Amino acid sequence: MPCWRRALLILAFIYSVLASPRNITIDDTFGDGAGNKPNYRPASAWESKDCTGCLIIPDPLKAYQGTWQQATYSPDMGSMSLEINFHGSAVYLYFILANTVPFATTETLCNFTIDGDVVGNFHHVPSSSTDLQYDQAVFSKKGLGLKKNHTVQAVIANQAQSYWIGFDYAVVTDDDTPVETATPTANSSVNTKKSVPVGAIAGGVVGGVVVIAAIVALIFFLRRRSRKNRRPGPLDLTGGDDLADRQPAMSQNGLSTTAFLGHSAADTHSSQQPSMGTSAYANSTSHHAAESVADGASSFYNPYSVASGPSASSEHSSGLARRATVRDARQRELESQVAELRNQLQAVQAGAGAPGQNALSKQREAEEAEKTNLRNQVAEMQNRIHHLEAAQSSPWAQGYSDEPPPGYEPVPPSA
């Protein structure tokens, strides 16, 4: 294929990439990475992943970027909302949905507005399952028109019961060619539109791409032409000095080329060892290889063994056995604590019953206080279980380190 055709194909591909729409993800906490973040009202009602008293605790490994925002609406609040400003032609909202969680409100209900107009609603009735549902698309709106700024809201207002919202992230389809921005005035709701010279910008971008493509095509053509003009000379097969010069050089102590190849293989292998102890392994490899060359050894250097002999093999085996023993003991310790906490949690949840309908006023107050205390115990036990389960995959629990994970005190060995 001629070079100019290749250049045209490259230019067409670059233009199609620049002109095509793109999807932008707006995280609940970090936003779109360019400073645009969601707004939450009232701010005091919303809790992040760092909430310590929340009864609903999503899994950070299943939430987008490990974050979320949650809030529980109550009738005395009047209204509660989340708001996202965006530029594009389509928007999609993704929630985390809860089902059965002891003592927690898990039903979700809200209306959705685009630029102040109600365009949809969503209602989730919890099931008997205790699992949370992630990446749930609760709202989408397409065909908003390119080159425009919009505002989407999820609103709960004037409801007679409590509802819960777990917001994870939003996705916006943006054409990436904004041409107007709205600037509100102090005394009027009229927007002032500022025009951006899109034609000049697009022309400059396309012109720059054309120049770069032309330079690349010219360089490619010249290199290809120089290779065609280059002709290899006849190969001298008669021997002599030229052939001797092309033979592999021998070292002064008689070390063969094969020994050097073995040394290179050892160096290559040493760069592929596991990250733990890489520096020590590489230094040991270089040291042994240098001694082999200096002494004129004829045998290969074995990169798979740092030391040789039966004593080194037994020490390596005993080290592996010791780490396996330490790992098993620490895993059993963590599993025992997790099992104990789960048993305590089940006992606390089993003892939390609803207050009697015919109880006296003082008994009802005592029962409500006991329920509050039980809720706090449940939340504390759940947090502790999450920390212990996370500690099971730490270097300490795997036997690679003697330093326990932060916030964990190892059980002292019994006498």
Side-chain angles (χ1 to χ4, degrees):
M1 179 183 295
C3 296
W4 63 270
R5 289 187 179 179
R6 295 184 181 180
L8 288 178
L9 289 176
I10 295 174
L11 179 60
F13 173 75
I14 296 175
Y15 180 77
S16 64
V17 170
L18 294 176
S20 62
R22 58 172 181 164
N23 286 335
I24 300 174
T25 302
I26 303 176
D27 181 62
D28 62 280
T29 300
F30 303 111
D32 61 357
N36 182 25
K37 299 181 180 181
N39 299 314
Y40 304 96
R41 299 186 181 89
S44 58
W46 292 84
E47 297 287 349
S48 66
K49 69 179 184 66
D50 299 324
C51 176
T52 57
C54 296
L55 298 179
I56 302 176
I57 306 176
D59 186 353
L61 298 178
K62 297 181 180 179
Y64 180 73
Q65 291 194 351
T67 63
W68 63 85
Q69 293 288 332
Q70 61 173 313
T72 300
Y73 169 86
S74 58
D76 59 346
M77 294 174 60
S79 66
M80 184 180 76
S81 66
L82 69 90
E83 176 184 287
I84 301 175
N85 298 314
F86 66 96
H87 176 92
S89 60
V91 61
Y92 310 83
L93 298 184
Y94 293 84
F95 281 11
I96 298 174
L97 302 180
N99 291 298
T100 299
V101 178
F103 313 115
T105 298
T106 56
E107 186 174 358
T108 299
L109 175 70
C110 60
N111 292 325
F112 300 102
T113 68
I114 296 288
D115 300 332
D117 298 327
V118 178
V119 292
N121 59 74
F122 177 78
H123 186 198
H124 167 68
V125 178
S127 67
S128 59
S129 172
T130 58
D131 296 333
L132 300 183
Q133 299 172 241
Y134 300 86
D135 295 315
Q136 298 299 304
V138 298
F139 173 74
S140 65
K141 186 65 175 177
K142 303 178 182 178
L144 298 178
L146 301 176
K147 307 176 183 178
K148 290 185 179 180
N149 295 320
H150 302 283
T151 300
V152 59
Q153 285 184 318
V155 184
I156 306 178
N158 303 324
Q159 298 297 323
Q161 70 177 69
S162 298
Y163 293 99
W164 181 81
I165 288 183
F167 174 60
D168 195 359
Y169 63 96
V171 176
V172 172
T173 301
D174 187 5
D175 65 340
D176 199 27
T177 55
V179 297
E180 61 183 31
T181 58
T183 305
T185 61
N187 301 321
S188 173
S189 60
V190 178
N191 293 334
T192 302
K193 298 181 179 179
K194 298 181 179 179
S195 177
V196 178
V198 179
I201 295 176
V205 171
V206 174
V209 171
V210 171
V211 172
I212 294 174
I215 294 175
V216 171
L218 179 60
I219 294 175
F220 179 82
F221 174 75
L222 294 177
R223 288 174 60 88
R224 185 176 181 182
R225 183 175 181 181
S226 62
R227 283 199 299 267
K228 287 183 177 180
N229 293 334
R230 190 181 305 155
R231 295 290 184 270
L235 180 62
D236 185 7
L237 300 178
T238 60
D241 295 338
D242 293 339
L243 184 60
D245 293 338
R246 289 194 294 270
Q247 295 297 323
M250 305 295 290
S251 62
Q252 295 179 357
N253 56 9
L255 184 63
S256 65
T257 305
T258 308
F260 281 104
L261 292 175
H263 174 63
S264 300
D267 290 343
T268 302
H269 176 75
S270 66
S271 65
Q272 298 174 351
Q273 294 300 313
S275 59
M276 182 171 296
T278 301
S279 298
Y281 184 89
N283 292 335
S284 177
T285 302
S286 301
H287 176 69
H288 283 283
E291 289 180 351
S292 299
V293 174
D295 296 337
S298 60
S299 60
F300 293 123
Y301 169 64
N302 184 4
Y304 293 94
S305 61
V306 177
S308 60
S311 60
S313 176
S314 61
E315 290 178 1
H316 181 66
S317 300
S318 62
L320 291 178
R322 177 186 174 279
R323 187 172 67 81
T325 302
V326 171
R327 181 189 63 220
D328 294 342
R330 291 172 179 174
Q331 290 290 336
R332 286 195 298 269
E333 176 183 329
L334 291 173
E335 291 173 357
S336 174
Q337 296 187 30
V338 171
E340 182 179 354
L341 280 174
R342 291 190 184 278
N343 292 334
Q344 295 178 7
L345 179 61
Q346 292 178 359
V348 170
Q349 291 176 339
Q357 298 295 328
N358 299 323
L360 298 177
S361 176
K362 292 184 178 180
Q363 292 177 342
R364 293 177 64 86
E365 292 179 358
E367 291 173 353
E368 290 296 330
E370 183 178 358
K371 283 180 62 178
T372 302
N373 185 32
L374 289 175
R375 290 175 182 172
N376 294 335
Q377 292 183 26
V378 168
E380 183 177 356
M381 289 180 181
Q382 288 177 338
N383 287 334
R384 183 59 180 164
I385 288 174
H386 285 307
H387 286 308
L388 289 174
E389 290 177 341
Q392 286 182 312
S393 57
S394 65
W396 176 84
Q398 297 296 326
Y400 292 110
S401 172
D402 290 332
E403 183 175 352
Y408 176 75
E409 292 293 336
V411 177
S414 58

